[in-house]
Every structure is written in structure tokens, then in C-alpha cells.
Amino acid sequence: MYEPLQITATMGSQVAYVDIIMFDSLLAAAAAMEQSLEQLTNEEDIQDFDLPLGRDESGVWLASAGFMSGIPGKAIYHKKWDEQNDDIVVTGKSKIVVTNGVYKSYSMPLRYIDTNRIYFWAIGDKDEICQKLAKITAIGKKRAQGYGAVEKWAVAQSEVARNQILALRPIPKSGNNPVIDSLKYVDMQIRKTPPYWALSDAIVCSAPVPLLSEESLCSLLQATRYTDS
């Protein structure tokens, strides 16, 4: 049975992110694991999964982005080939090229949020969602490097309404998109369904900004308060 839910991820480390973390993409990742699929990182591998969520008439899943309050920061992520290992790679050249190609060295900025909890909302099957979330032990970018570790998940009944969930996720832009007054919105080019990193079928959507002040987060939690004791 589908019901309105609040999902809380208690975090054990800083969360690295690009723009937005979508709850339905986490369930899609769990569905891929259940089918023993490799991590889907190529556009040719895109496929739809049957998720335990309701769906809007426009095709989007009734699942929000992740909202949090915390301290933003920036780290530098380095990749550098160790020249002492040149002899173990057969390239046909006397020296490994580190200015381009697969062995290219680089330093890239990595944005992160130091936060205790991330909140999501959805309309779906609580038992099936809990089953899938048990497979998700980290979220965001650079999970293998220790970012985004999830200590525990909590799924509770909520009073969140369908229109509120649509206001808490990217949806195709129109003249009457639902909004929540305490949130800011931006236009972004994004798919309507997972995987959100892919460019194919991306359209202009109105999306809420997921990093909130403590006051705005408290207001959002009050508006969508859960009903479990």
C-alpha cells in the first residue's frame, strides 16, 4: 500500500555532491543491485526500474530530493600517476603520459556538506522501500573514499501531500509549478527520471535548492511532519 512517508538518513561522514541527491535514484540503484547489474555509468546502459513509489501524470516519481542543513566546504581531489610504476604498464612508450589520456594527473575541487541528517519525502510502499534502503550504505559522490556514509535509515509515516512532494523535486517547468515558500528554486537541465547524471532526454525543470538554513529546514519538517509515535 502506498502512503506518504518521511525518510531520514543519519550520516556518518560529510556528503560530497554535485547538484542534487534524488530519493528515487537511490531506490533505482538498489534495484540494479538486486538484479546483479554493474554500476550504470554509460548512457547506453540506461534502463527504467519498477520502483515502490507512486508516479505523477507527467511521469516523475513521487519522491523528493534530499534536504539538509549543514556547513558547506570544498576539498581538492587529486589523481597522480606514480612514475615508479611506469614499468608495469605496457604503452609502447618509454614514459607514461600524464598530461592527457587515462593516466592524466589532475586536481579537482570536491564540494561537500558537513551534515548530520538528510531528509527525503515520498509516496510509496514503506516495507519495500525499507528493504531497498538496506542496500544503500552511502550516498553522493566519492563514496569509495569515505564520503556520504549512512549510519542508519528511518522511514516514518508523514503528512506530506502529493503537491508538496512535487515542490520538493525537479519537475518540468510550467507556469504553475507547485512551490513551498521557505525554499528557493532554480532552473536546471535534468531528466525526469533516474539516472539524473545522464544527458539524454534532459529537459528544463524547476528544482528546489536542497541546502537550507536551520530555520528553513525546521519549517519544512513542520509542514511535512511525520505521524509515527
Side-chain angles (χ1 to χ4, degrees), residues 4 8 10 13 26 36-37 47 55 66 70 74 77 86-87 96 108 114 118 123 139 151 167 185 191 201 205 208:
T8 306
T10 300
S13 63
L26 300 180
S36 300
L37 297 175
Q47 57 183 286
R55 212 161 191 170
K74 185 175 75 171
Y77 186 73
D86 282 4
D87 59 339
I96 299 298
M108 293 185 65
D114 194 352
I118 302 178
I123 294 178
I139 57 181
E151 289 187 347
Y185 291 83
R191 286 169 52 88
D201 301 322
C205 290

mmCIF file of all heavy atoms in Angstrom, residues 4 8 10 13 26 36-37 47 55 66 70 74 77 86-87 96 108 114 118 123 139 151 167 185 191 201 205 208:
data_model
loop_
_atom_site.group_PDB
_atom_site.id
_atom_site.type_symbol
_atom_site.label_atom_id
_atom_site.label_comp_id
_atom_site.label_asym_id
_atom_site.label_seq_id
_atom_site.Cartn_x
_atom_site.Cartn_y
_atom_site.Cartn_z
ATOM 1 N N PRO A 4 2.113 8.327 2.325
ATOM 2 C CA PRO A 4 3.103 9.405 2.427
ATOM 3 C C PRO A 4 4.132 9.090 3.509
ATOM 4 O O PRO A 4 3.772 8.661 4.613
ATOM 5 C CB PRO A 4 2.264 10.634 2.781
ATOM 6 C CG PRO A 4 1.006 10.092 3.369
ATOM 7 C CD PRO A 4 0.767 8.757 2.740
ATOM 8 N N THR A 8 14.616 9.491 6.589
ATOM 9 C CA THR A 8 15.738 10.212 7.190
ATOM 10 C C THR A 8 16.998 9.363 7.122
ATOM 11 O O THR A 8 17.008 8.215 7.581
ATOM 12 C CB THR A 8 15.445 10.572 8.653
ATOM 13 O OG1 THR A 8 14.210 11.281 8.739
ATOM 14 C CG2 THR A 8 16.565 11.425 9.234
ATOM 15 N N THR A 10 20.640 9.192 8.597
ATOM 16 C CA THR A 10 21.589 9.698 9.589
ATOM 17 C C THR A 10 22.991 9.459 9.060
ATOM 18 O O THR A 10 23.368 8.324 8.771
ATOM 19 C CB THR A 10 21.404 8.996 10.944
ATOM 20 O OG1 THR A 10 20.071 9.238 11.413
ATOM 21 C CG2 THR A 10 22.400 9.515 11.972
ATOM 22 N N SER A 13 29.470 10.651 7.780
ATOM 23 C CA SER A 13 30.574 11.412 7.209
ATOM 24 C C SER A 13 30.023 12.506 6.317
ATOM 25 O O SER A 13 28.825 12.554 6.021
ATOM 26 C CB SER A 13 31.519 10.495 6.404
ATOM 27 O OG SER A 13 30.844 9.920 5.292
ATOM 28 N N LEU A 26 18.225 6.636 -5.560
ATOM 29 C CA LEU A 26 18.765 5.683 -4.583
ATOM 30 C C LEU A 26 18.037 4.344 -4.692
ATOM 31 O O LEU A 26 18.667 3.276 -4.661
ATOM 32 C CB LEU A 26 18.622 6.238 -3.167
ATOM 33 C CG LEU A 26 19.325 7.571 -2.871
ATOM 34 C CD1 LEU A 26 19.092 7.980 -1.422
ATOM 35 C CD2 LEU A 26 20.808 7.489 -3.181
ATOM 36 N N SER A 36 21.830 -7.736 -9.876
ATOM 37 C CA SER A 36 23.262 -8.019 -10.061
ATOM 38 C C SER A 36 23.835 -7.291 -11.267
ATOM 39 O O SER A 36 24.676 -7.820 -12.009
ATOM 40 C CB SER A 36 23.501 -9.532 -10.214
ATOM 41 O OG SER A 36 23.070 -10.222 -9.071
ATOM 42 N N LEU A 37 23.382 -6.061 -11.481
ATOM 43 C CA LEU A 37 23.892 -5.244 -12.575
ATOM 44 C C LEU A 37 25.100 -4.445 -12.103
ATOM 45 O O LEU A 37 25.199 -4.067 -10.936
ATOM 46 C CB LEU A 37 22.812 -4.295 -13.088
ATOM 47 C CG LEU A 37 21.569 -4.955 -13.686
ATOM 48 C CD1 LEU A 37 20.537 -3.888 -14.042
ATOM 49 C CD2 LEU A 37 21.928 -5.764 -14.922
ATOM 50 N N GLN A 47 18.221 2.244 -18.171
ATOM 51 C CA GLN A 47 17.003 1.453 -18.160
ATOM 52 C C GLN A 47 16.109 1.908 -17.008
ATOM 53 O O GLN A 47 16.579 2.479 -16.024
ATOM 54 C CB GLN A 47 17.303 -0.038 -18.027
ATOM 55 C CG GLN A 47 18.102 -0.427 -16.809
ATOM 56 C CD GLN A 47 18.417 -1.915 -16.794
ATOM 57 O OE1 GLN A 47 17.536 -2.727 -16.537
ATOM 58 N NE2 GLN A 47 19.653 -2.253 -17.086
ATOM 59 N N ARG A 55 3.543 7.648 -8.929
ATOM 60 C CA ARG A 55 4.055 8.402 -10.062
ATOM 61 C C ARG A 55 3.062 9.499 -10.438
ATOM 62 O O ARG A 55 1.857 9.304 -10.387
ATOM 63 C CB ARG A 55 4.293 7.473 -11.249
ATOM 64 C CG ARG A 55 5.447 7.869 -12.138
ATOM 65 C CD ARG A 55 5.919 6.712 -12.987
ATOM 66 N NE ARG A 55 7.176 7.029 -13.636
ATOM 67 C CZ ARG A 55 7.931 6.155 -14.291
ATOM 68 N NH1 ARG A 55 7.535 4.892 -14.358
ATOM 69 N NH2 ARG A 55 9.063 6.512 -14.841
ATOM 70 N N GLY A 66 16.952 15.282 -1.639
ATOM 71 C CA GLY A 66 17.383 15.248 -0.247
ATOM 72 C C GLY A 66 17.645 16.652 0.271
ATOM 73 O O GLY A 66 18.334 17.439 -0.375
ATOM 74 N N GLY A 70 23.644 22.284 6.941
ATOM 75 C CA GLY A 70 24.985 21.940 7.397
ATOM 76 C C GLY A 70 25.997 22.970 6.944
ATOM 77 O O GLY A 70 25.658 24.019 6.394
ATOM 78 N N LYS A 74 34.886 22.681 0.768
ATOM 79 C CA LYS A 74 35.463 22.240 -0.503
ATOM 80 C C LYS A 74 36.805 21.569 -0.255
ATOM 81 O O LYS A 74 37.666 22.120 0.437
ATOM 82 C CB LYS A 74 35.642 23.417 -1.466
ATOM 83 C CG LYS A 74 36.139 22.999 -2.850
ATOM 84 C CD LYS A 74 36.184 24.181 -3.814
ATOM 85 C CE LYS A 74 37.344 25.093 -3.531
ATOM 86 N NZ LYS A 74 37.505 26.116 -4.602
ATOM 87 N N TYR A 77 40.404 16.976 -4.826
ATOM 88 C CA TYR A 77 40.566 15.554 -5.109
ATOM 89 C C TYR A 77 41.663 15.384 -6.146
ATOM 90 O O TYR A 77 41.582 15.917 -7.252
ATOM 91 C CB TYR A 77 39.245 14.974 -5.623
ATOM 92 C CG TYR A 77 39.272 13.483 -5.818
ATOM 93 C CD1 TYR A 77 39.255 12.631 -4.719
ATOM 94 C CD2 TYR A 77 39.334 12.924 -7.086
ATOM 95 C CE1 TYR A 77 39.294 11.262 -4.889
ATOM 96 C CE2 TYR A 77 39.370 11.559 -7.258
ATOM 97 C CZ TYR A 77 39.354 10.732 -6.157
ATOM 98 O OH TYR A 77 39.403 9.373 -6.324
ATOM 99 N N ASP A 86 55.986 2.989 -13.824
ATOM 100 C CA ASP A 86 55.954 3.034 -15.287
ATOM 101 C C ASP A 86 56.212 1.668 -15.915
ATOM 102 O O ASP A 86 55.621 1.323 -16.946
ATOM 103 C CB ASP A 86 56.999 4.023 -15.816
ATOM 104 C CG ASP A 86 56.532 5.473 -15.686
ATOM 105 O OD1 ASP A 86 55.446 5.682 -15.119
ATOM 106 O OD2 ASP A 86 57.254 6.367 -16.152
ATOM 107 N N ASP A 87 57.064 0.872 -15.288
ATOM 108 C CA ASP A 87 57.478 -0.395 -15.904
ATOM 109 C C ASP A 87 56.384 -1.463 -15.867
ATOM 110 O O ASP A 87 56.493 -2.484 -16.549
ATOM 111 C CB ASP A 87 58.746 -0.927 -15.222
ATOM 112 C CG ASP A 87 58.542 -1.153 -13.728
ATOM 113 O OD1 ASP A 87 57.606 -0.549 -13.161
ATOM 114 O OD2 ASP A 87 59.306 -1.936 -13.135
ATOM 115 N N ILE A 96 55.186 7.123 -19.176
ATOM 116 C CA ILE A 96 53.736 7.289 -19.117
ATOM 117 C C ILE A 96 53.388 8.765 -19.305
ATOM 118 O O ILE A 96 53.977 9.637 -18.658
ATOM 119 C CB ILE A 96 53.185 6.797 -17.763
ATOM 120 C CG1 ILE A 96 53.486 5.308 -17.572
ATOM 121 C CG2 ILE A 96 51.675 7.060 -17.675
ATOM 122 C CD1 ILE A 96 52.842 4.415 -18.594
ATOM 123 N N MET A 108 41.023 18.202 -8.710
ATOM 124 C CA MET A 108 39.662 18.670 -8.925
ATOM 125 C C MET A 108 39.012 19.076 -7.607
ATOM 126 O O MET A 108 39.208 18.415 -6.589
ATOM 127 C CB MET A 108 38.815 17.571 -9.579
ATOM 128 C CG MET A 108 39.235 17.225 -10.985
ATOM 129 S SD MET A 108 38.112 16.038 -11.744
ATOM 130 C CE MET A 108 36.609 17.017 -11.818
ATOM 131 N N ASP A 114 28.889 19.171 5.530
ATOM 132 C CA ASP A 114 29.041 18.513 6.828
ATOM 133 C C ASP A 114 27.682 18.587 7.517
ATOM 134 O O ASP A 114 27.293 19.635 8.044
ATOM 135 C CB ASP A 114 30.115 19.219 7.644
ATOM 136 C CG ASP A 114 30.554 18.402 8.847
ATOM 137 O OD1 ASP A 114 29.910 17.359 9.121
ATOM 138 O OD2 ASP A 114 31.526 18.781 9.514
ATOM 139 N N ILE A 118 19.995 13.849 6.368
ATOM 140 C CA ILE A 118 19.395 14.253 5.100
ATOM 141 C C ILE A 118 17.961 13.742 5.100
ATOM 142 O O ILE A 118 17.710 12.576 5.457
ATOM 143 C CB ILE A 118 20.172 13.694 3.900
ATOM 144 C CG1 ILE A 118 21.634 14.153 3.954
ATOM 145 C CG2 ILE A 118 19.529 14.139 2.588
ATOM 146 C CD1 ILE A 118 22.481 13.614 2.822
ATOM 147 N N ILE A 123 5.865 9.134 -1.651
ATOM 148 C CA ILE A 123 4.634 8.365 -1.508
ATOM 149 C C ILE A 123 4.918 6.991 -2.097
ATOM 150 O O ILE A 123 5.216 6.865 -3.295
ATOM 151 C CB ILE A 123 3.456 9.038 -2.235
ATOM 152 C CG1 ILE A 123 3.124 10.372 -1.559
ATOM 153 C CG2 ILE A 123 2.227 8.123 -2.240
ATOM 154 C CD1 ILE A 123 2.008 11.153 -2.214
ATOM 155 N N ILE A 139 25.758 7.607 0.126
ATOM 156 C CA ILE A 139 25.113 8.376 -0.929
ATOM 157 C C ILE A 139 25.991 9.549 -1.339
ATOM 158 O O ILE A 139 26.895 9.957 -0.601
ATOM 159 C CB ILE A 139 23.727 8.889 -0.483
ATOM 160 C CG1 ILE A 139 23.831 9.742 0.783
ATOM 161 C CG2 ILE A 139 22.773 7.737 -0.248
ATOM 162 C CD1 ILE A 139 22.500 10.251 1.285
ATOM 163 N N GLU A 151 24.781 5.998 8.426
ATOM 164 C CA GLU A 151 24.796 5.180 9.643
ATOM 165 C C GLU A 151 23.498 4.396 9.791
ATOM 166 O O GLU A 151 23.500 3.235 10.193
ATOM 167 C CB GLU A 151 25.023 6.055 10.871
ATOM 168 C CG GLU A 151 26.442 6.611 10.973
ATOM 169 C CD GLU A 151 26.675 7.338 12.284
ATOM 170 O OE1 GLU A 151 25.684 7.628 13.000
ATOM 171 O OE2 GLU A 151 27.842 7.606 12.594
ATOM 172 N N ALA A 167 6.785 19.807 -5.167
ATOM 173 C CA ALA A 167 7.521 21.044 -4.897
ATOM 174 C C ALA A 167 8.890 20.774 -4.287
ATOM 175 O O ALA A 167 9.708 21.684 -4.168
ATOM 176 C CB ALA A 167 6.709 21.934 -3.958
ATOM 177 N N TYR A 185 14.151 28.245 -5.671
ATOM 178 C CA TYR A 185 14.070 27.374 -6.849
ATOM 179 C C TYR A 185 14.978 27.903 -7.952
ATOM 180 O O TYR A 185 15.171 29.113 -8.093
ATOM 181 C CB TYR A 185 12.625 27.294 -7.359
ATOM 182 C CG TYR A 185 11.712 26.554 -6.410
ATOM 183 C CD1 TYR A 185 11.147 27.203 -5.316
ATOM 184 C CD2 TYR A 185 11.448 25.199 -6.585
ATOM 185 C CE1 TYR A 185 10.332 26.527 -4.421
ATOM 186 C CE2 TYR A 185 10.626 24.517 -5.694
ATOM 187 C CZ TYR A 185 10.080 25.185 -4.620
ATOM 188 O OH TYR A 185 9.281 24.499 -3.733
ATOM 189 N N ARG A 191 17.001 15.112 -16.339
ATOM 190 C CA ARG A 191 15.993 14.128 -16.732
ATOM 191 C C ARG A 191 14.832 14.133 -15.729
ATOM 192 O O ARG A 191 14.977 14.568 -14.596
ATOM 193 C CB ARG A 191 16.621 12.729 -16.766
ATOM 194 C CG ARG A 191 17.539 12.474 -17.949
ATOM 195 C CD ARG A 191 18.323 11.182 -17.752
ATOM 196 N NE ARG A 191 17.454 10.053 -17.443
ATOM 197 C CZ ARG A 191 16.878 9.254 -18.348
ATOM 198 N NH1 ARG A 191 17.081 9.472 -19.637
ATOM 199 N NH2 ARG A 191 16.117 8.243 -17.989
ATOM 200 N N ASP A 201 17.490 12.882 -22.971
ATOM 201 C CA ASP A 201 16.120 13.182 -22.521
ATOM 202 C C ASP A 201 16.065 14.236 -21.419
ATOM 203 O O ASP A 201 15.023 14.389 -20.777
ATOM 204 C CB ASP A 201 15.410 11.908 -22.038
ATOM 205 C CG ASP A 201 15.318 10.840 -23.123
ATOM 206 O OD1 ASP A 201 15.099 11.213 -24.286
ATOM 207 O OD2 ASP A 201 15.477 9.647 -22.803
ATOM 208 N N CYS A 205 13.861 21.895 -15.976
ATOM 209 C CA CYS A 205 12.983 21.651 -14.838
ATOM 210 C C CYS A 205 13.167 22.747 -13.803
ATOM 211 O O CYS A 205 14.237 23.365 -13.704
ATOM 212 C CB CYS A 205 13.295 20.298 -14.190
ATOM 213 S SG CYS A 205 12.841 18.853 -15.183
ATOM 214 N N PRO A 208 14.116 22.711 -6.502
ATOM 215 C CA PRO A 208 14.401 23.397 -5.235
ATOM 216 C C PRO A 208 15.871 23.279 -4.868
ATOM 217 O O PRO A 208 16.536 22.292 -5.214
ATOM 218 C CB PRO A 208 13.523 22.647 -4.232
ATOM 219 C CG PRO A 208 13.425 21.261 -4.802
ATOM 220 C CD PRO A 208 13.429 21.423 -6.290
#
